[in-house]
Amino acid sequence: MPVPASLLLVAERVERRLGGLLEVEIERWSALDEALAEPLRCLRDFVLDGGKRLRPAFCHWGFAGAGGDVADPRIVEAGCAFEMLQAFALVHDDVMDGSATRRGRPSVHVDFAARHAHDGRRGEPRRFGEGVAVLIGDLAHVYADQFIAAAGHDALAIWSELRVELNVGQYLDLVGTARADTDLTRARRIARYKSGKYTIERPLHVGAAMAGRYVELHEALSGYGDPLGEAFQLRDDLLGAFGDEARTGKPVGDDLREGKPTPLLAIASERAEGGQVTLLSLVGSSELSADDITAIQAVLVDT
């Protein structure tokens, strides 16, 4: 799909800065021990190969809309912080969900488990892969904090809050999946806190805070960013249930196998009758066949 020029303007600057920092870090730490090149190269490739750079774009335009000078290098640093935070969230999310792929490639934990098995190393490949993925996610989080450090007191206060919100949303997603929760109110809350707020609303807030106008503008920015963030996640839920693998980089129906507590599933569960209820009870099984996925998708459409 064509990418808006307003997004590319931000993405190119952010990607150059990310690439520059990670190349320096790879060289610096591999000089200490060559084994450290592996996780850092993985992080570099993960951050730079794919992603829509939405969060840097909304932060940039929140800053510009509040009167900030778009030549200010701090806005690029803030964009890099959001991309590193996104890397942290995705790498850890794949471990928690047991996702085998990300952007059409093996997830980080799966990749490192395969390396462990290929090299005949001691211990359990799965635990090694998950341990490395956790550490790579943690590294991304540290770099995110380094990038945002110069944003100013008001922006840092929002940054701290959005990180708590992200973790709250992730926990609610985990427990909702475990409970097979189909409550619509809770499903919308998860969508808002796990993704919507930190994708659009909070980047706008950080941008406005960096320009010194958060107090004045935050309600208007939330009025725009909150529903748009929820729409973003609802669209993502549709892709998770129906999406083209070539476009999403994940198997079709992956959210159905994982049993994600989405508003889509909650609405279907409220409306389902008879055999539809039986089919929806299969959601959350890793053993779902292609025919099962097709039948469940039909229920989602029919309800």
Side-chain angles (χ1 to χ4, degrees), residues 28-40:
R28 178 164 80 105
W29 289 107
S30 61
L32 175 67
D33 190 311
E34 62 182 15
L36 293 171
E38 258 191 339
L40 286 164

Side-chain angles (χ1 to χ4, degrees), residues 74 78 147-156 206 209-210:
R74 292 182 308 146
F147 276 123
I148 202 70
H153 178 269
D154 290 347
L156 288 175
V206 169
M210 289 175 66

Side-chain angles (χ1 to χ4, degrees), residues 153-296:
H153 178 269
D154 290 347
L156 288 175
I158 299 165
W159 178 258
S160 294
E161 185 68 4
L162 75 88
R163 289 184 301 161
V164 174
E165 291 168 348
L166 175 57
N167 281 280
V168 164
Q170 184 68 35
Y171 177 77
L172 291 176
D173 183 56
L174 275 174
V175 75
T177 300
R179 291 174 177 170
D181 197 344
T182 57
D183 179 80
L184 180 57
T185 299
R186 284 194 291 269
R188 290 188 65 184
R189 184 181 300 133
I190 291 167
R192 185 167 181 250
Y193 277 86
K194 183 185 176 185
S195 179
K197 285 177 75 70
Y198 105 99
T199 297
I200 297 172
E201 182 189 23
R202 289 309 199 182
L204 288 167
H205 285 172
V206 169
M210 289 175 66
R213 296 183 66 193
Y214 171 72
V215 172
E216 175 188 351
L217 296 175
H218 78 275
E219 288 186 7
L221 292 173
S222 292
Y224 165 78
D226 192 19
L228 187 58
E230 184 175 13
F232 171 84
Q233 185 55 46
L234 292 172
R235 178 67 170 172
D236 202 53
D237 292 342
L238 287 170
L239 290 172
F242 295 95
D244 176 1
E245 186 171 353
R247 182 173 169 190
T248 65
K250 284 180 171 282
V252 174
D254 217 32
D255 280 4
L256 300 176
R257 291 186 180 90
E258 292 174 14
K260 289 292 183 183
T262 63
L264 178 67
L265 182 60
I267 293 168
S269 298
E270 283 182 358
R271 298 176 180 176
E273 298 176 347
Q276 294 175 332
V277 176
T278 303
L279 281 170
L280 289 181
S281 71
L282 300 176
V283 171
S285 169
S286 60
E287 305 301 319
L288 288 179
S289 67
D291 287 343
D292 292 332
I293 294 293
T294 299
I296 294 167

Side-chain angles (χ1 to χ4, degrees), residues 65-127:
D69 178 2
V70 295
D72 188 332
R74 292 182 308 146
I75 197 60
V76 175
E77 298 291 295
C80 291
F82 276 107
E83 284 301 292
M84 282 293 189
L85 189 68
Q86 171 73 342
F88 148 77
L90 293 180
V91 172
H92 282 194
D93 189 57
D94 286 342
V95 172
M96 286 183 268
D97 291 345
S99 297
T101 60
R102 169 70 62 182
R103 297 169 182 162
R105 297 183 178 183
S107 301
V108 171
H109 67 283
V110 171
D111 178 27
F112 276 89
R115 298 187 199 196
H116 181 286
H118 179 269
D119 294 342
R121 296 173 180 174
R122 188 167 57 187
E124 185 183 348
R126 180 188 64 82
R127 290 193 64 182

